[in-house]
Amino acid sequence: TCRKDSEKIWLSVSAAPIRDPDGSIAGVVHVFRDISEYKEIDRMKSDFVATVSHELRTPLTSILGFSKTLLRTDARFSDASRESFLLEIVREGERLARLIEDVLSVSRIEAGKLRLDLKAIDVGPTVSQVVKNMARLTSIHNFVINVADDLPRVSADPDKLYQVLLNLVVNAIKYSPDGGPITVTAIERDGGMRFEVADQGVGISAEHLPYVFERFYRAARGKGGVTGTGLGLFVSKSLVEQMGGTIRAESEVGQGSRFFFDLPLAPAEEAEAEDKIAS
Ligand code: ADP
């Protein structure tokens, strides 16, 4: 390695002799190749394996702990305690399921095997479902849903739209450790649908903001015990793009973050056809 502008770069060097026609060595050619990028990917991959293993172990430990406690024959628990243990098991189980879903999505995205099932869908029920499921997991955040009743349908894969909104809401919860409002909005805009998830949490500095959608990128690495894999936003971005949309973020440290993405509206005929089937 050597130092360049205080940044470490990795070089691979190979050397080959140059011979005169009579076979004597006239010189040596050295080829320097900058392999920093490969090294970086290598490092990120091993970090990733360590992080994912850790992220899998944490919820599993609590699932096993609570289940074993419930199975104890020498102790009796009140209904309220049993319910809180069961809620914890469900919460941690769902965390495991989300993590596995994200890891699987990454491998499908990388293999170019992500299948989408685009349909004309109403955004209201999807947004409500995400908020309902996530609101159970926190008592210090309050959720505001900003979705008008008469919005047109979007063209999206229902499960993937759910996954993207879920990832954004999970992050909004995770990165506002002191609680506060989380607003989920859907409005028609420029002939498409704009979705927004806004929080008033820790925010992201301008230095990190451009990279948060990159695979494995974590701006808040190791800070305040907030764990993660750096996959959620990468997966969300890929899914939104595959559905024909774009995703971006705005944020200010200490003020909060706003993630927004646009999706195309469903073609009018398709929406009408589905109405007929439904009626
Ligand atoms: P993870 O949360 O697992 O680390 P993500 O891909 O979901 O991975 O997010 C990447 C990084 O972006 C996070 O590590 C965090 O630093 C930052 N981030 C994402 N969402 C928010 C948010 N709502 N507020 C502050 N920082 C965020």
Side-chain angles (χ1 to χ4, degrees):
T1 62
C2 71
R3 296 238 157 216
K4 183 185 108 191
D5 294 330
S6 81
E7 220 177 87
K8 204 178 212 176
I9 65 164
W10 288 86
L11 295 174
S12 105
V13 186
S14 44
I18 304 173
R19 293 183 192 274
D20 276 340
D22 64 10
S24 62
I25 293 178
V28 181
V29 181
H30 286 92
V31 177
F32 290 80
R33 246 172 12 110
D34 182 351
I35 53 161
S36 314
E37 206 176 311
Y38 301 109
K39 280 282 180 191
E40 180 59 12
I41 291 172
D42 235 30
R43 189 191 61 75
M44 290 199 307
K45 281 210 165 132
S46 30
D47 276 6
F48 172 69
V49 172
T51 320
V52 170
S53 318
H54 174 80
E55 289 282 298
L56 288 170
R57 201 165 46 202
T58 315
L60 203 55
T61 307
S62 52
I63 290 172
L64 289 174
F66 284 112
S67 311
K68 284 179 183 163
T69 307
L70 281 171
L71 281 173
R72 274 172 57 179
T73 47
D74 60 338
R76 291 191 69 80
F77 300 104
S78 66
D79 285 353
S81 305
R82 284 174 62 86
E83 193 173 326
S84 79
F85 293 166
L86 286 169
L87 193 67
E88 207 52 47
I89 292 172
V90 170
R91 196 178 286 175
E92 295 299 319
E94 283 175 350
R95 192 166 135 199
L96 269 184
R98 282 199 303 275
L99 174 63
I100 292 167
E101 193 55 43
D102 276 348
V103 173
L104 283 177
S105 296
V106 170
S107 63
R108 285 191 207 115
I109 290 163
E110 290 187 335
K113 284 193 182 144
L114 191 78
R115 297 274 166 263
L116 288 185
D117 184 12
L118 294 180
K119 289 186 176 146
I121 52 175
D122 283 327
V123 299
T126 310
V127 169
S128 310
Q129 194 61 45
V130 170
V131 170
K132 195 175 134 210
N133 287 345
M134 288 300 105
R136 280 193 290 136
L137 307 186
T138 167
S139 52
I140 56 170
H141 300 88
N142 56 299
F143 292 85
V144 181
I145 298 179
N146 245 330
V147 183
D149 287 336
D150 54 352
L151 285 181
R153 292 172 170 191
V154 287
S155 164
D157 179 315
D159 295 342
K160 307 288 187 278
L161 176 60
Y162 183 88
Q163 195 179 347
V164 174
L165 284 167
L166 195 75
N167 273 336
L168 298 183
V169 173
V170 166
N171 280 351
I173 296 173
K174 225 162 67 167
Y175 298 104
S176 10
D178 299 328
I182 294 173
T183 310
V184 187
T185 306
I187 47 163
E188 195 179 349
R189 203 187 134 112
D190 300 333
M193 189 71 69
R194 156 78 46 109
F195 294 86
E196 258 183 47
V197 177
D199 64 63
Q200 295 181 8
V202 295
I204 306 164
S205 68
E207 161 204 0
H208 291 298
L209 193 59
Y211 306 107
V212 290
F213 293 102
E214 284 183 13
R215 196 175 42 153
F216 310 136
Y217 195 85
R218 304 206 61 224
R221 198 181 292 262
K223 247 190 252 166
V226 178
T227 58
T229 55
L231 289 182
L233 289 181
F234 169 75
V235 168
S236 302
K237 181 170 192 276
S238 308
L239 294 177
V240 167
E241 288 175 353
Q242 298 242 2
M243 291 190 280
T246 47
I247 187 167
R248 280 184 305 131
E250 283 172 359
S251 186
E252 227 168 284
V253 173
Q255 304 289 309
S257 311
R258 210 161 64 86
F259 284 81
F260 45 98
F261 61 96
D262 295 291
L263 287 182
L265 297 183
E269 314 82 70
E270 197 183 335
E272 274 165 25
E274 294 231 344
D275 273 339
K276 282 207 190 93
I277 294 167
S279 62

